[in-house]
Amino acid sequence: MEIVRSQRKPADAAVAPALSLYRSAPALEVRLEDFELYAIDRLRVLQGISDGLSRGKKPEEMEKLVSELWRAQMRHQDPSEEMNKDIISHFVLRLVYCRTEDLRKWFLSMETSLFRYRFRLESPESQRLLMSEFQLPYKAISHAEFETVKDKLNQVARSTGPSSNAETLFFKVPFEEVPELVAGRRVFMLKGFAYVAMNQVVSLVATQFRSNLSKALVLTNRKWTSTIRDKEKNRLTPIVEALSTGYLGPDYSQPKEFSEIALKDIDQLASTSFPLCMRHLFDKLRETHHLKHGGRMQLGLFLKGVGLKLEDALAFWKSEFSQKVGAERFDKEYSYSIRHNYGKEGKRTDYTPYACHKIISSTPSVGDHHGCPYRHFSEENLKAALGKMGVGGRSLDDILDKVRSRHYQVACTLTFEAVHAASCDSGINHPNQFHSLVEFDEVKRSCRKRLDGHNRRRRKPRSAAAASTASACLLPLPPASGFSMYLLTSLSPPAQPNLAGIARAEKDAREQRSFSHGYEEGEAAFCRTATEQCGVVDRPGF
Amino acid sequence: MMMMWSVVTGLKRRSHMYGGPTHQSPFLDRICFLRSIQEGEKGNTAIFGVASPPLAAGQPTLTSSLFPRIMTKEETSAERDDMQIDRRELEHPQVSTIPRGFNADYLKLYYGKLFPHADIYRWLSYGNDGKHPACDHSYFGRREFSFTLENDIYVRFQSFNNAVDMENSIREKCPYKIDIGPVYSVDPAKRHAYSQSGNNVFAPVERELIFDIDMSDYDDVRYCCSGADVCLNCWPLMTIAIKVLDTALRDDFGFNHILWVYSGRRGVHCWVCDGRARRLSNEQRAAIADYFRVYKGGENYVKKVNLAGAVLHPFLARSYTDVLKGFFEGRLLASQNLFASTERFQKILEIIPDESIASELLDKWQGNRRSSISKEDVNVVRWEQLKHVLQSGKQKAQGLRRCVEEIIFTYTYPRLDMEVSKHMNHLLKAPFCVHPKTGRVCVPIDPNNCDSFDPTTVPTLSQLLEELNMSGMRSESEDEWERTSLGESIKFFRSSFLSPLLKSCKEEMESLYNSKVKQSKNALNW
């Protein structure tokens, strides 16, 4: 086991403990309980980072967020135990998140972010120590070389920010090693080499960390499928499988049965329950009878997510596009990609609707209408668009304020609240959530009262696995309904208490922002019971 | 006349051999038809009309007696888009023996006689087709090709074991378009066999770094044409893109083997073929694309270029002084008439953050229409006035001084199709394809000479066949393309791109092999 301990700042007791590079799994005895609890704590940190990133927080804000999260979740009285907790939790989550491409991707980027911000919090000396730990083959450039490119280096420094005091320590590395610095034009480039300043080495180290971890995850996955999964069938496997389910956010890929929408209602729906990004695309489509690829994907998958069936989707897009390009060309050129979205062509993947962070980070180009209006609209255009939705006065100012501080999802949430005069404490994380919130609100209000009690009485115990995700569900309700904001649908206690589920519920209750996790299951359960009670659908298994 | 016949009969035999389209008595029809074209007999065209595929209602049939056209399905659907190009051709009537435009049968002839199969094969083999022990003989066979056949039938994941396979398949299928994809971990044609093993072994492993620049992305800054059309007034935008990217790819990123290709209609493609470029990950590709991204579009953004920071990054500064500024002031300002109407200069004034300055200029220009401007170009005068106001000593605010640069970047800086460059598995049309709508060949562009490239004189399919006919059968042995205007392009492709590339591939292979040998020797000694 290899643990790198950096020098601690003697004065500051709150300094984060040394960073581990997680080169090899620790040879430690771990209690099964800790195995899971540590992992849950780390997951909270990673989830917090994920939320922070999708809110578009700036690096400084992220730094603060990470150090707070770390302090809240990972601290331990005993420093050596804290170090162990760090390492154990990391390796447990490796096991949890090695199993599919999506899980790996998420874990990789969150762990890298975590490492990056923890690295930034280290002192320069320990940073240098860590660098040598990576055994990077790069040496600082000589004074003579520095002199030849000094002007350019200064130019880059001045182009990126006002502050950075003249750095003289530079590393010359292949540009492939520092993609993020290249992408931001924050380094001087010459013949394939990037000149990385000492205060930028975090990118270099993070890239290295990421590529090591990426390779390790693939290896772990191989080990997991070949041996561990079966060997640990009764002990670790259930824990591992339960851990990964809770934190992926809701799955909007399968439209809910209750929320199927009909073609004739679509205009009505667009004006009441589409978030601004989709409403804008929808209006543009109606107006110009055309959308470019990015717009077709964003709106098309959203509509799929809210329950527009393939046949209706084809009819919908055709009715618009044929006015511009003719029905024949629509059939030839556009219908394929719609069928593709529904998993009927090509590699037949059922594509999922885009989440907010994907839409926010998209890069609309000329003629494009997709993207997040709060991020991609100029202020005038946003004002006009919001005005069209009937948002004005103070709420408009509040929204614009959030946009200026780059809290796009918060701005969207405020819009929701302004338009529907209801509060939404959970925040909008997915356009389809915006839609289902409204629909839920409008359509289901009437029978909610009856169902609440019903839920409590009738819910049957479920299998342990299912219970782990549904053991406690939070239903956010608008105050108008006369209920408390959060309605805890408690089910009969699961046969085997599962820590993941309970821990999650605790977290939800505490942070009151669990929409993306708890809400959907609650909603689904709610609706299943609804149909059950009304005798509409009689499905076995409930 | 005889020459013509020989070409045509050769063509028909081939199309029989490969199972091409057959008509009732195709051989006879075709000969009759071509004779009728040569003699300009209107009546005889009907003979062909019977055999040709049914035409969509409302589409013009054989257009004029001077230029009888063979209307393939492809062409009828293209008709709407390309009226512009057709018209241009009609303005310069040449006595032609080959009908204008694009046609499946001519394409067959093109693939048979002109398309440089061998060069494409050698390029995409990157030295792995030799006898060197370090050669990876599976390399070419793992490359994906995609064909677009008649009626937009799209066939993906084609792969070929060798040059002969590739050539035969292209000749036989006669694709309207050939796309080149990445090199995969396994033969893409056999991908299903590997998908059973579940461990995702079928994945792209190598791919040229590619860029796609499309003139239709510049529609808000050009007034001469829009959409798919280009002319010599807006083409300089492509020249700028080539210059800016080519310099940066070489000087900043250290790449050497860069191929620029005319896309056949309205844009250019760039293939960066260095080994280092081919092995970039998606993330690294995205980083390069972002390095080049200045223009942030989106229809709802007024200010599309935002240059922050006290000074420009060296790359942007160099692009600005070396390329953008000169093209903007020397060419586009006047050729696009950027300040000639209220609507146009208002668009530029919107970029200025200080409203009082913007409205001052607006009043000034709206007030005195032509009075003070006598001989000098109105665009130049107004641009100078704008610069004067923004850069005069009075304007301390740095944002305002930067505004001049922002305007120039907005109107000139290359606009990339980012998605194409970011992912390894994006397909891109192969060089030397024929654009099905214009009939123009996707010829390489010399970046050192891109100023003189003229998209309107790029050889078309029919022109090339005509040249073949005219030059006759002087000698069977020599490459036929040498007798056509494609010759220059193929020679350029070989001398400026292919041979330096293959030389460095060989060196790379050699050094890799030597180091491996050394390593194994060391291991043995130890």
Side-chain angles (χ1 to χ4, degrees):
Chain A
M1 173 169 161
E2 199 175 344
I3 301 173
V4 185
R5 186 183 291 267
S6 73
Q7 292 170 327
R8 283 158 160 267
K9 284 183 198 156
D12 188 2
V15 73
L19 277 169
S20 169
L21 306 186
Y22 315 110
R23 283 276 172 77
S24 53
L28 290 171
E29 295 262 321
V30 185
R31 287 188 307 156
L32 208 52
E33 195 184 284
D34 290 343
F35 183 86
E36 191 165 8
L37 282 175
Y38 285 1
I40 291 168
D41 284 342
R42 193 183 190 88
L43 260 185
R44 289 188 178 129
V45 176
L46 298 184
Q47 186 64 37
I49 292 174
S50 166
D51 289 348
L53 290 174
S54 68
R55 270 154 211 262
K57 283 199 194 276
K58 292 175 194 147
E60 306 78 58
E61 293 169 327
M62 282 305 292
E63 207 168 287
K64 194 162 153 261
L65 178 78
V66 168
S67 87
E68 276 166 11
L69 281 167
W70 191 263
R71 205 169 304 165
Q73 305 295 345
M74 301 298 284
R75 282 286 291 283
H76 204 281
Q77 292 93 333
D78 179 2
S80 75
E81 192 53 30
E82 185 166 334
M83 172 81 86
N84 281 342
K85 184 175 178 182
D86 176 16
I87 293 165
I88 291 165
S89 61
H90 172 86
F91 278 99
V92 175
L93 289 188
R94 247 194 217 186
L95 214 51
V96 173
Y97 282 86
C98 73
R99 294 169 307 133
T100 69
E101 181 66 38
D102 283 343
L103 290 174
R104 283 197 292 270
K105 232 170 136 181
W106 185 84
F107 182 67
L108 192 56
S109 68
M110 292 315 138
E111 275 287 333
T112 310
S113 301
L114 174 62
F115 179 83
R116 171 194 305 275
Y117 292 110
R118 289 181 68 201
F119 183 87
R120 285 165 64 122
L121 294 167
E122 294 288 312
S123 65
E125 298 82 59
S126 62
Q127 285 186 349
R128 228 162 287 176
L129 266 175
L130 276 167
M131 263 188 86
S132 63
E133 199 57 41
F134 273 112
Q135 295 168 333
L136 298 173
Y138 315 119
K139 293 217 167 64
I141 57 170
S142 66
H143 186 71
E145 187 173 1
F146 175 72
E147 285 300 320
T148 61
V149 290
K150 195 170 144 196
D151 291 347
K152 299 283 183 196
L153 295 176
N154 276 333
Q155 201 178 337
V156 175
R158 288 180 61 211
S159 76
T160 48
S163 60
S164 58
N165 34 3
E167 184 78 55
T168 52
L169 189 55
F170 281 87
F171 298 87
K172 189 176 165 184
V173 304
F175 75 87
E176 290 95 332
E177 301 286 327
V178 284
E180 56 168 25
L181 296 180
V182 173
R185 284 193 294 268
R186 284 186 282 142
V187 280
F188 173 59
M189 298 274 300
L190 186 66
K191 290 285 171 200
F193 288 98
Y195 288 77
V196 179
M198 185 58 208
N199 60 14
Q200 294 174 316
V201 290
V202 60
S203 306
L204 194 57
V205 183
T207 310
Q208 209 68 28
F209 179 85
R210 189 191 165 98
S211 84
N212 290 348
L213 183 56
S214 172
K215 279 176 211 147
L217 278 174
V218 173
L219 287 179
T220 314
N221 179 36
R222 244 174 247 165
K223 251 191 240 164
W224 169 261
T225 41
S226 64
T227 55
I228 308 174
R229 184 172 50 192
D230 293 330
K231 225 167 67 189
E232 295 284 346
K233 204 161 69 193
N234 298 317
R235 204 172 59 129
L236 295 186
T237 306
I239 299 178
V240 162
E241 281 173 355
L243 272 171
S244 66
T245 49
Y247 280 88
L248 280 177
D251 175 16
Y252 286 103
S253 58
Q254 296 302 318
K256 304 292 157 304
E257 210 154 309
F258 80 98
S259 68
E260 206 166 90
I261 63 170
L263 203 50
K264 60 178 166 48
D265 301 333
I266 202 164
D267 282 283
Q268 164 69 21
L269 278 173
S271 61
T272 59
S273 41
F274 281 14
L276 184 55
C277 52
M278 299 304 169
R279 196 174 155 155
H280 177 68
L281 284 170
F282 186 83
D283 290 347
K284 278 292 160 195
L285 177 64
R286 285 287 196 221
E287 192 184 310
T288 61
H289 313 300
H290 191 267
L291 283 179
K292 291 182 86 171
H293 177 78
R296 295 201 299 272
M297 292 298 286
Q298 186 175 317
L299 180 61
L301 288 173
F302 169 79
L303 290 175
K304 177 184 155 194
V306 302
L308 193 66
K309 283 187 175 157
L310 174 61
E311 299 79 58
D312 289 342
L314 283 168
F316 167 71
W317 288 100
K318 188 169 182 171
S319 71
E320 288 303 330
F321 271 62
S322 56
Q323 297 177 48
K324 168 120 185 214
V325 300
E328 198 184 332
R329 214 172 129 203
F330 174 84
D331 290 339
K332 240 168 131 183
E333 291 174 25
Y334 297 100
S335 66
Y336 179 92
S337 72
I338 293 161
R339 295 170 51 77
H340 192 258
N341 281 349
Y342 280 78
K344 302 291 182 209
E345 299 279 4
K347 68 174 171 180
R348 294 176 186 270
T349 311
D350 210 357
Y351 290 90
T352 44
Y354 292 168
C356 281
H357 70 88
K358 175 152 185 155
I359 293 172
I360 289 173
S361 59
S362 66
T363 51
S365 177
V366 198
D368 278 334
H369 289 283
H370 67 275
C372 173
Y374 302 97
R375 163 141 194 224
H376 295 115
F377 277 27
S378 64
E379 199 167 307
E380 288 73 43
N381 287 354
L382 183 60
K383 261 190 211 160
L386 288 170
K388 249 171 75 184
M389 282 180 102
V391 181
R394 262 201 54 201
S395 24
L396 181 65
D397 293 338
D398 287 348
I399 292 168
L400 293 175
D401 206 45
K402 291 295 170 202
V403 170
R404 280 184 214 114
S405 49
R406 309 207 292 173
H407 296 296
Y408 309 117
Q409 286 169 264
V410 181
C412 188
T413 312
L414 288 178
T415 311
F416 171 86
E417 294 180 345
V419 172
H420 297 281
S423 75
C424 167
D425 287 357
S426 55
I428 301 286
N429 291 312
H430 200 295
N432 289 69
Q433 175 199 354
F434 190 104
H435 168 262
S436 49
L437 266 174
V438 183
E439 291 310 294
F440 186 72
D441 200 31
E442 306 291 328
V443 180
K444 305 292 174 196
R445 188 174 291 173
S446 54
C447 53
R448 185 174 295 141
K449 211 166 186 174
R450 285 189 297 152
L451 285 174
D452 169 45
H454 176 84
N455 264 349
R456 291 167 191 269
R457 288 191 307 274
R458 286 273 302 268
R459 203 74 201 160
K460 286 170 200 135
R462 302 163 79 190
S463 72
S468 75
T469 55
S471 58
C473 297
L474 295 161
L475 289 187
L477 301 175
S481 67
F483 279 83
S484 62
M485 266 309 299
Y486 286 87
L487 170 66
L488 193 66
T489 336
S490 29
L491 309 169
S492 324
Q496 292 175 326
N498 184 296
L499 287 164
I502 292 166
R504 203 166 49 92
E506 281 168 10
K507 176 187 184 246
D508 290 348
R510 194 176 58 243
E511 295 180 16
Q512 295 211 342
R513 48 152 309 284
S514 66
F515 231 41
S516 50
H517 320 303
Y519 172 64
E520 199 203 36
E521 290 132 21
E523 181 191 51
F526 188 88
C527 297
R528 276 196 294 274
T529 359
T531 47
E532 194 182 12
Q533 196 202 30
C534 307
V536 179
V537 181
D538 188 20
R539 268 192 294 172
F542 285 130
Chain B
M1 192 66 192
M2 281 309 290
M3 288 157 211
M4 183 71 202
W5 276 62
S6 64
V7 170
V8 168
T9 49
L11 162 84
K12 281 325 291 182
R13 265 190 225 115
R14 196 167 288 121
S15 80
H16 273 302
M17 232 154 52
Y18 296 114
T22 47
H23 307 301
Q24 290 283 303
S25 54
F27 190 68
L28 204 73
D29 277 352
R30 183 51 51 94
I31 292 167
C32 291
F33 173 60
L34 285 164
R35 185 190 283 155
S36 79
I37 294 163
Q38 285 202 308
E39 292 161 13
E41 284 172 34
K42 262 187 261 176
N44 275 1
T45 54
I47 297 173
F48 184 77
V50 175
S52 70
L55 299 168
Q59 292 295 332
T61 47
L62 302 170
T63 39
S64 81
S65 59
L66 234 188
F67 300 101
R69 300 164 56 94
I70 297 173
M71 302 297 287
T72 63
K73 277 183 195 167
E74 177 66 37
E75 210 179 351
T76 50
S77 70
E79 195 71 356
R80 277 184 306 272
D81 295 355
D82 292 281
M83 290 308 280
Q84 197 66 40
I85 286 149
D86 287 346
R87 239 179 275 131
R88 187 157 52 231
E89 280 165 6
L90 287 171
E91 279 164 17
H92 308 285
Q94 314 156 340
V95 179
S96 162
T97 51
I98 304 258
R100 299 270 113 194
F102 182 85
N103 167 305
D105 292 330
Y106 300 152
L107 197 56
K108 204 145 234 168
L109 206 54
Y110 174 78
Y111 285 132
K113 289 180 174 292
L114 297 172
F115 187 75
H117 299 275
D119 297 272
I120 297 284
Y121 173 76
R122 286 176 68 213
W123 163 33
L124 296 175
S125 295
Y126 291 104
N128 285 302
D129 51 344
K131 297 225 164 27
H132 197 276
C135 283
D136 174 1
H137 288 285
S138 77
Y139 186 86
F140 184 80
R142 289 185 280 122
R143 170 79 72 168
E144 176 188 353
F145 289 84
S146 282
F147 290 167
T148 308
L149 307 178
E150 202 173 353
N151 294 326
D152 288 335
I153 296 165
Y154 203 59
V155 201
R156 279 198 67 181
F157 300 116
Q158 308 283 294
S159 68
F160 310 109
N161 288 325
N162 50 50
V164 179
D165 269 10
M166 182 186 87
E167 180 164 354
N168 285 346
S169 179
I170 292 176
R171 283 176 177 225
E172 177 194 335
K173 296 195 175 116
C174 193
Y176 279 37
K177 187 168 135 215
I178 303 172
D179 282 303
I180 299 177
V183 177
Y184 285 94
S185 48
V186 295
D187 181 349
K190 295 181 190 138
R191 67 196 182 285
H192 294 303
Y194 294 94
S195 65
Q196 308 298 329
S197 62
N199 227 339
N200 251 345
V201 280
F202 180 68
V205 290
E206 263 194 37
R207 207 269 183 278
E208 293 77 10
L209 173 64
I210 50 175
F211 296 97
D212 180 4
I213 305 153
D214 204 331
M215 191 64 99
S216 52
D217 284 338
Y218 290 83
D219 277 358
D220 60 328
V221 293
R222 60 183 186 140
Y223 299 106
C224 49
C225 341
S226 67
D229 303 321
V230 295
C231 71
L232 289 179
N233 280 334
C234 52
W235 188 257
L237 289 165
M238 290 294 130
T239 313
I240 295 170
I242 296 175
K243 286 181 180 229
V244 167
L245 293 191
D246 196 70
T247 313
L249 287 170
R250 286 175 207 273
D251 294 354
D252 297 1
F253 289 95
F255 296 128
N256 296 311
H257 304 288
I258 301 169
L259 176 69
W260 287 95
V261 185
Y262 174 50
S263 73
R265 180 150 76 169
R266 56 178 171 189
V268 290
H269 295 159
C270 174
W271 300 76
V272 186
C273 303
D274 298 58
R276 212 175 150 184
R278 299 197 313 266
R279 290 185 282 271
L280 291 169
S281 68
N282 282 342
E283 193 197 6
Q284 291 159 342
R285 284 162 206 267
I288 298 176
D290 278 329
Y291 183 81
F292 288 131
R293 190 165 77 110
V294 169
Y295 183 83
K296 301 201 167 117
E299 282 301 287
N300 298 290
Y301 236 38
V302 173
K303 196 166 175 179
K304 316 231 162 165
V305 170
N306 220 330
L307 303 169
V311 291
L312 291 179
H313 184 276
F315 155 64
L316 296 180
R318 182 190 60 211
S319 304
Y320 179 77
T321 45
D322 292 357
V323 184
L324 306 182
K325 193 163 184 283
F327 266 90
F328 181 83
E329 298 189 333
R331 307 276 294 270
L332 296 166
L333 200 55
S335 71
Q336 295 295 335
N337 273 315
L338 295 179
F339 285 87
S341 72
T342 314
E343 188 200 345
R344 290 185 191 181
F345 60 67
Q346 228 161 10
K347 219 158 130 190
I348 294 173
L349 291 176
E350 273 172 18
I351 300 175
I352 300 174
D354 187 323
E355 278 177 31
S356 67
I357 294 181
S359 62
E360 182 196 318
L361 287 168
L362 184 70
D363 291 345
K364 189 172 180 178
W365 294 340
Q366 275 181 329
N368 60 348
R369 286 263 143 66
R370 297 270 159 198
S371 55
S372 68
I373 304 139
S374 49
K375 278 172 203 155
E376 262 195 294
D377 185 281
V378 62
N379 299 296
V380 176
V381 172
R382 287 177 175 167
W383 172 243
E384 290 303 326
Q385 286 169 346
L386 183 146
K387 271 207 296 192
H388 182 75
V389 172
L390 288 177
Q391 294 177 329
S392 69
K394 274 189 290 176
Q395 307 302 342
K396 288 275 159 29
Q398 194 232 327
L400 283 180
R401 300 180 143 262
R402 184 52 57 76
C403 207
V404 172
E405 286 153 22
E406 281 173 342
I407 292 170
I408 293 188
F409 271 93
T410 308
Y411 279 80
T412 56
Y413 188 82
R415 299 175 178 191
L416 300 178
D417 186 337
M418 301 285 288
E419 296 306 316
V420 174
S421 307
K422 279 181 178 174
H423 301 285
M424 279 178 118
N425 52 3
H426 232 287
L427 298 164
L428 195 66
K429 182 159 52 164
F432 296 107
C433 275
V434 179
H435 194 290
K437 307 216 164 148
T438 61
R440 296 201 189 277
V441 181
C442 304
V443 292
I445 300 173
D446 181 357
N448 299 321
N449 247 328
C450 56
D451 287 293
S452 57
F453 180 82
D454 177 357
T456 62
T457 59
V458 169
T460 63
L461 181 56
S462 49
Q463 179 195 336
L464 290 174
L465 296 194
E466 199 175 307
E467 285 166 2
L468 265 190
N469 281 334
M470 300 296 274
S471 61
M473 302 287 197
R474 250 172 279 145
S475 72
E476 280 292 326
S477 58
E478 68 170 326
D479 278 323
E480 305 217 35
W481 49 258
E482 282 184 21
R483 293 185 277 123
T484 68
S485 41
L486 197 61
E488 284 303 309
S489 295
I490 293 180
K491 270 182 216 149
F492 170 79
F493 181 78
R494 284 185 182 172
S495 64
S496 301
F497 171 71
L498 194 55
S499 49
L501 172 71
L502 295 182
K503 187 163 167 266
S504 87
C505 283
K506 210 174 154 192
E507 283 163 9
E508 197 178 303
M509 209 172 262
E510 197 81 34
S511 73
L512 197 77
Y513 181 71
N514 288 341
S515 68
K516 256 190 197 158
V517 169
K518 216 182 234 169
Q519 228 172 25
S520 61
K521 258 189 198 153
N522 287 349
L524 278 179
N525 290 343
W526 192 69

